[in-house]
Amino acid sequence: EFLKLLERETMRSSVFSPRLGIASIVSWACTFLISLAYVSGKSELPRISPEFRVKLFDETVVTYKDIQGKVTVIDFWGTWCKPCLAEIPDYSAFYRDYKNKGVLFMGLAGESGNAEKVRERSKRLNIDYPVGAPSRAEFKTIGKIRCYPTTWVIGPSGEIEEEFVGVIPGKQKALREIVDRLLKEYSAPGADSR
């Protein structure tokens, strides 16, 4: 059912705006080039800003202080990004499996129009995890996002432990292994149902 919805959304987007097709090509190219940098060992993890502050659609405000002491996963995506949209079912499953294990998960849409457009699109896509559409000012407090999709795994120390850029084979398995390792290492206190 999700794939049919994704196909319908993709067809709608590509019919009304040729730019969206180009955006997907740029996203794939960016993924490829950044993946080469990781394979060659020439890239280092970005740093999350201590000024990190975003407001989610459920009105929750998440700050750098809120992610301290928790394993946090942030999916940076775009409503125009076909590879990002393809990952939604995997992230929904991840969210359902980890929300009661003390893992904070959120999807932050970038370069996708205003918050109302992103909220509507999120509903149409049946996204069941917390989502936000940070303003440009909020994105400045987040840190450097090189490409969409990008996923950060942030350890309880507030440091980015892993960055996944693009849709990489085995990404969901690797994500779960890293999160499980961090949960064991830091034995996360309590569960957060966000």
Side-chain angles (χ1 to χ4, degrees):
E1 182 180 344
F2 178 81
L3 292 177
K4 287 180 185 176
L5 178 64
L6 178 59
E7 184 176 330
R8 188 172 63 244
E9 289 294 317
T10 301
M11 293 300 285
R12 181 182 304 155
S13 297
S14 60
V15 169
F16 289 110
S17 175
R19 182 180 148 262
L20 293 175
I22 292 169
S24 291
I25 292 169
V26 169
S27 177
W28 283 108
C30 182
T31 297
F32 176 74
L33 292 173
I34 291 176
S35 295
L36 286 178
Y38 278 101
V39 170
S40 65
K42 294 181 181 173
S43 185
E44 61 183 59
L45 292 174
R47 299 184 73 71
I48 192 163
S49 170
E51 287 88 38
F52 176 90
R53 181 190 185 283
V54 294
K55 185 176 182 179
L56 303 175
F57 291 150
D58 67 1
E59 301 300 319
T60 302
V61 175
V62 181
T63 66
Y64 183 73
K65 185 177 178 181
D66 295 324
I67 65 174
Q68 300 259 312
K70 293 185 181 187
V71 175
T72 304
V73 178
I74 304 174
D75 173 42
F76 296 98
W77 67 291
T79 59
W80 48 267
C81 169
K82 292 176 187 177
C84 300
L85 300 177
E87 292 187 313
I88 291 171
D90 290 331
Y91 283 125
S92 288
F94 177 89
Y95 174 68
R96 285 189 303 272
D97 292 346
Y98 285 87
K99 70 179 181 179
N100 293 321
K101 294 181 180 181
V103 176
L104 176 61
F105 181 86
M106 67 189 89
L108 300 179
E111 301 177 31
S112 296
N114 66 34
E116 193 53 42
K117 281 185 178 181
V118 175
R119 181 179 291 137
E120 288 173 17
R121 187 80 188 265
S122 298
K123 285 181 184 177
R124 280 198 314 265
L125 293 168
N126 297 316
I127 297 176
D128 60 351
Y129 47 83
V131 174
S135 66
R136 281 197 166 102
E138 285 177 314
F139 256 107
K140 287 180 182 177
T141 73
I142 291 172
K144 186 173 182 177
I145 307 303
R146 304 171 210 201
C147 188
Y148 295 95
T150 291
T151 304
W152 285 354
V153 181
I154 303 166
S157 66
E159 296 291 318
I160 298 171
E161 298 279 337
E162 186 66 56
E163 177 183 50
F164 295 97
V165 179
V167 180
I168 303 162
K171 176 179 178 178
Q172 291 299 316
K173 182 179 182 216
L175 172 64
R176 287 170 180 266
E177 288 172 356
I178 293 164
V179 169
D180 288 340
R181 176 183 54 81
L182 289 170
L183 287 172
K184 279 183 186 175
E185 285 178 13
Y186 295 98
S187 55
D192 187 345
S193 61
R194 259 188 260 180

